[in-house]
Amino acid sequence: MPPRPPFPPFDEASARQKVQAAEDAWNTRDPERVALAYTEDSVWRNRDTFLAGREEIIAFLRQKWARELDYALRKELWSYDGNRIAVRFQYECRDAAGQWWRSYGNELWEFDEEGLMRRREAGIHDVAITEAERRIFGPRQEEEKGRPIPFR
């Protein structure tokens, strides 16, 4: 795998760059592209699901985006130290029945020296919303990047 700059140890600017790159990649909803940011043996905890390795990550993401329709995500840097970054995020999607959801979560990331994520732990909570309550529409526009995401 080619290295994925920026590399640890992170400073504020490089941590923000890493968070925005992750948001941009996840908003493509392309499992193969997203998985390239992780080591071959990366381990994940996503809610109550535990994954190991890029192939499991790809399969998980395919299933996720098959059921989470019109998915759009925002991530925000919470903290960083050395090779670790903590992120808060929100995303919105709808299910096959047309119900809209906003999901709130926190992630803990750990990177190897090549800038690939070797560990990801995510806690996520879902809230049903109406279509009128939506506020996340596709990837961020350039002028929106770096803005905090609302608390609610």
Side-chain angles (χ1 to χ4, degrees):
M1 278 301 304
R4 299 286 286 216
F7 308 111
F10 298 110
D11 59 16
E12 184 174 352
S14 61
R16 287 188 188 286
Q17 183 182 357
K18 204 65 148 173
V19 171
Q20 188 61 58
E23 177 185 308
D24 293 345
W26 278 67
N27 275 323
T28 68
R29 299 186 301 252
D30 179 342
E32 288 78 12
R33 176 180 171 188
V34 171
L36 292 176
Y38 302 93
T39 62
E40 287 284 347
D41 60 350
S42 184
V43 293
W44 279 27
R45 180 186 58 78
N46 194 89
R47 300 176 194 248
D48 61 351
T49 301
F50 294 83
L51 308 169
R54 205 178 279 146
E55 291 307 312
E56 286 187 16
I57 291 168
I58 291 169
F60 172 85
L61 292 173
R62 282 185 183 140
Q63 292 172 358
K64 171 186 179 62
W65 290 320
R67 70 179 181 279
E68 293 181 352
L69 308 174
D70 297 318
Y71 173 98
L73 167 73
R74 299 293 182 269
K75 289 185 182 282
E76 183 179 338
L77 175 65
W78 188 258
S79 183
Y80 63 92
D81 183 42
N83 69 337
R84 293 180 173 170
I85 296 176
V87 175
R88 63 183 287 264
F89 66 88
Q90 295 174 26
Y91 68 84
E92 294 177 352
C93 63
R94 65 179 174 82
D95 61 27
Q99 173 62 58
W100 283 94
W101 299 91
R102 183 173 303 126
S103 299
Y104 297 87
N106 301 293
E107 293 177 303
L108 303 174
W109 299 344
E110 183 178 81
F111 294 87
D112 72 5
E113 57 283 341
E114 297 293 317
L116 295 169
M117 195 181 302
R118 65 178 165 213
R119 184 178 181 134
R120 174 186 176 265
E121 296 186 38
I124 307 168
H125 304 280
D126 304 314
V127 177
I129 61 172
T130 66
E131 188 170 4
E133 292 174 300
R134 290 184 62 212
R135 65 167 183 260
I136 302 174
F137 300 92
R140 283 192 213 227
Q141 300 300 308
E142 199 59 39
E143 63 274 8
E144 292 178 281
K145 292 185 177 180
R147 289 189 191 161
I149 54 178
F151 182 68
R152 291 185 194 224

